[in-house]
Amino acid sequence: GAVVSQHPSWVICKSGTSVKIECRSLDFQATTMFWYRQFPKQSLMLMATSNEGSKATYEQGVEKDKFLINHASLTLSTLTVTSAHPEDSSFYICSARESRGQPQHFGDGTRLSIL
Amino acid sequence: GENVEQHPSTLSVQEGDSAVIKCTYSDSASNYFPWYKQELGKRPQLIIDIRSNVGEKKDQRIAVTLNKTAKHFSLHITETQPEDSAVYFCAAPRLYNQGGKLIFGQGTELSVKP
């Protein structure tokens, strides 16, 4: 149980392109999903928290207009990197939890490379 | 807000030995402490967690201990095997008005030598 699917797993695109990443909870309803960014050999940096049906909460220093988050249903959240540039290249991972106090379960991550 | 410190950053052990990774947290109200294992290029996987109403929890070769007074918790892996090699992250929730978001430690790269 507690499977989280993230798609795509790898994206290579040109600078200026917008990229959408999907995060789905397959066997549970996720009231909250989290988006992280991870640089090589570093920890998981929380970018934003999304609750179903409400606006995402962004961490300090994360641009809302750059990283658009939508959590339209209890099983799907999307992260759109708008007008991506090489400095946005990173490993993006989502996680989902059923309710507060429950464990977070992670997706497989998306490796984003902007040329 | 919550601050989580993890040590050591790297740990090398011989197969069969034990490995211990330690984390400290700053928010005394924190009540949930998970440990994740991340293999290279893969997702972090929850391997064990503990809540603040217990001091120790075991699952086969893995155990976690919690000292609420000192605000630290540790991961213990016994009889290590090469497949235990990975990066391990501890985490603690940022609670006050923050919905329990997890704050992660810096990670420990464990290498188990056959």
Side-chain angles (χ1 to χ4, degrees):
Chain A
V3 179
V4 176
S5 172
Q6 188 172 339
H7 180 81
S9 56
W10 196 296
V11 180
I12 301 174
C13 57
K14 293 181 180 179
S15 186
T17 308
S18 291
V19 179
K20 181 187 277 190
I21 303 169
E22 291 188 350
C23 181
R24 294 179 185 272
S25 56
L26 297 186
D27 52 359
F28 66 101
Q29 293 189 322
T31 56
T32 307
M33 290 187 174
F34 303 89
W35 288 95
Y36 293 86
R37 185 171 179 176
Q38 187 177 35
F39 291 105
K41 292 191 176 290
Q42 292 193 24
S43 188
L44 297 146
M45 302 262 314
L46 180 64
M47 297 174 65
T49 302
S50 76
N51 292 294
E52 185 267 335
S54 61
K55 286 185 179 179
T57 305
Y58 290 81
E59 295 298 301
Q60 195 171 7
V62 178
E63 298 176 58
K64 299 179 185 182
D65 296 332
K66 176 74 171 176
F67 300 99
L68 300 178
I69 291 170
N70 183 281
H71 192 161
S73 76
L74 283 170
T75 59
L76 174 64
S77 176
T78 60
L79 167 68
T80 301
V81 184
T82 61
S83 187
H85 292 286
E87 58 267 27
D88 299 322
S89 299
S90 190
F91 191 53
Y92 293 87
I93 316 179
C94 72
S95 72
R97 72 176 186 205
E98 190 166 0
S99 60
R100 189 168 175 170
Q102 295 300 309
Q104 283 186 34
H105 300 280
F106 284 85
D108 279 327
T110 297
R111 191 160 301 283
L112 177 61
S113 295
I114 308 298
L115 305 177
Chain B
E2 180 71 278
N3 186 41
V4 178
E5 296 287 331
Q6 182 173 346
H7 299 280
S9 56
T10 60
L11 179 59
S12 181
V13 300
Q14 209 65 37
E15 182 177 1
D17 288 349
S18 295
V20 181
I21 303 170
K22 298 182 179 180
C23 284
T24 60
Y25 60 98
S26 59
D27 189 345
S28 57
S30 290
N31 58 3
Y32 173 69
F33 307 93
W35 284 91
Y36 287 86
K37 174 184 179 182
Q38 187 180 28
E39 296 177 16
L40 190 63
K42 296 191 176 180
R43 73 174 77 191
Q45 287 192 304
L46 180 68
I47 55 172
I48 196 167
D49 56 14
I50 190 168
R51 297 188 186 274
S52 58
N53 57 344
V54 297
E56 183 176 0
K57 183 177 177 180
K58 269 188 177 181
D59 183 3
Q60 298 182 344
R61 297 186 296 108
I62 295 172
V64 55
T65 58
L66 172 65
N67 184 326
K68 287 172 57 180
T69 304
K71 290 190 283 188
H72 67 69
F73 56 111
S74 300
L75 177 70
H76 304 254
I77 306 174
T78 58
E79 299 171 33
T80 53
Q81 301 166 3
E83 49 265 38
D84 294 329
S85 297
V87 180
Y88 292 80
F89 293 99
C90 64
R94 186 196 297 168
L95 286 175
Y96 180 72
N97 204 29
Q98 294 285 335
K101 301 173 189 178
L102 288 179
I103 304 302
F104 285 83
Q106 296 85 346
T108 297
E109 186 173 2
L110 173 64
S111 176
V112 180
K113 297 181 178 178

